[in-house]
Amino acid sequence: MKNQPATSVAVYRSEHYTFRSLWSAAERLRESGEVDEANGLWPLLAATLLAFTAFEGFVNEAIESVAPEEWADERKLFATGKHTGTMGKAVFLADRAGIALRRESRPFSTVAELCSWRNELVHPRTTRIKGEALVVALSAKPRHAKPTVFKKLERPGFVERCFTDIAALADQLLDGLRAKDSVPVSHLGRKALWGPVGSGHVSLKE
């Protein structure tokens, strides 16, 4: 390529799998939150949201790869019916691959729970309380509005389960798609969320 005439034209292609960068960032935030006892809640919150966002990115990439015509009309196809939203897209991929998802069981149930929780967080509402109490009682025990949306993070094993099941569901979908037709998803490798973060190619225009 270096010795080509100055008038030669190169054709290039480059792509970055953003969802894999997000997954890596989520893992780093999770590690940070797990060692920070005083302030670990917030890195874990960010980590869990990013982990789900990475799953959403993988699902989008997979659909674009195996069903480009359907993807071109994404907003219409995934707006209603059983394929609504990110979890509906996961069902679409499973249908495409010919695999059965047990929605009431892990890993699907965990990712679906996380999806609902994520929706609560990205569309937050102010928490309000009001009432009456004796002054002495209120002085002894002040009442404060506390959002319940963060309580999931306090559940033992919740964050670990989210990461484990997101990866498991993504791999299950990728394995099914690969078994059906490996060519459209060959660029994703063997693991959905781990691997090269991009690819590219350069050639001379004929």
Side-chain angles (χ1 to χ4, degrees):
M1 191 72 72
K2 292 182 180 180
N3 299 323
Q4 298 300 318
T7 55
S8 296
V9 177
V11 178
Y12 63 88
R13 172 186 58 78
S14 178
E15 53 192 20
H16 184 103
Y17 311 135
T18 309
F19 65 91
R20 282 185 172 156
S21 294
L22 291 174
W23 181 256
S24 180
E27 289 187 313
R28 300 292 83 77
L29 283 168
R30 178 188 172 189
E31 292 171 1
S32 175
E34 288 175 344
V35 299
D36 188 346
E37 295 184 2
N39 302 296
L41 176 69
W42 307 123
L44 290 177
L45 173 64
T48 310
L49 288 176
L50 274 184
F52 180 79
T53 304
F55 175 77
E56 183 176 11
F58 159 74
V59 167
N60 288 341
E61 170 63 22
I63 294 176
E64 185 176 5
S65 298
V66 303
E69 293 184 2
E70 288 88 341
W71 181 252
D73 201 15
E74 178 209 2
R75 293 184 181 276
K76 181 178 179 180
L77 179 61
F78 300 106
T80 59
K82 72 172 186 176
H83 296 146
T84 302
T86 300
M87 301 314 298
K89 290 178 179 179
V91 172
F92 174 87
L93 286 175
D95 291 345
R96 190 83 176 194
I99 60 176
L101 293 177
R102 298 179 59 189
R103 302 192 196 189
E104 72 284 354
S105 303
R106 295 178 61 184
F108 190 94
S109 62
T110 297
V111 183
E113 178 186 0
L114 179 56
C115 180
S116 297
W117 183 59
R118 172 259 184 197
N119 291 340
E120 286 186 67
L121 287 168
V122 299
H123 303 289
R125 295 186 177 184
T126 299
T127 301
R128 296 181 172 90
I129 61 172
K130 61 181 180 180
E132 297 180 357
L134 293 174
V135 173
V136 291
L138 198 60
S139 298
K141 186 179 180 180
R143 281 31 167 201
H144 300 291
K146 296 181 179 180
T148 59
V149 71
F150 302 131
K151 288 189 175 295
K152 282 186 183 292
L153 290 171
E154 301 172 0
R155 289 163 48 185
F158 174 73
V159 174
E160 180 181 2
R161 177 164 60 88
C162 286
F163 272 76
T164 298
D165 288 0
I166 285 172
L169 181 56
D171 284 343
Q172 181 182 1
L173 293 171
L174 181 58
D175 289 345
L177 293 170
R178 188 187 300 111
K180 187 79 171 181
D181 183 0
S182 64
V183 175
V185 292
S186 60
H187 63 295
L188 295 177
R190 307 300 299 181
K191 290 289 185 180
L193 300 173
W194 292 280
V197 296
S199 64
H201 177 73
V202 178
S203 62
L204 287 174
K205 184 176 181 179
E206 297 180 357

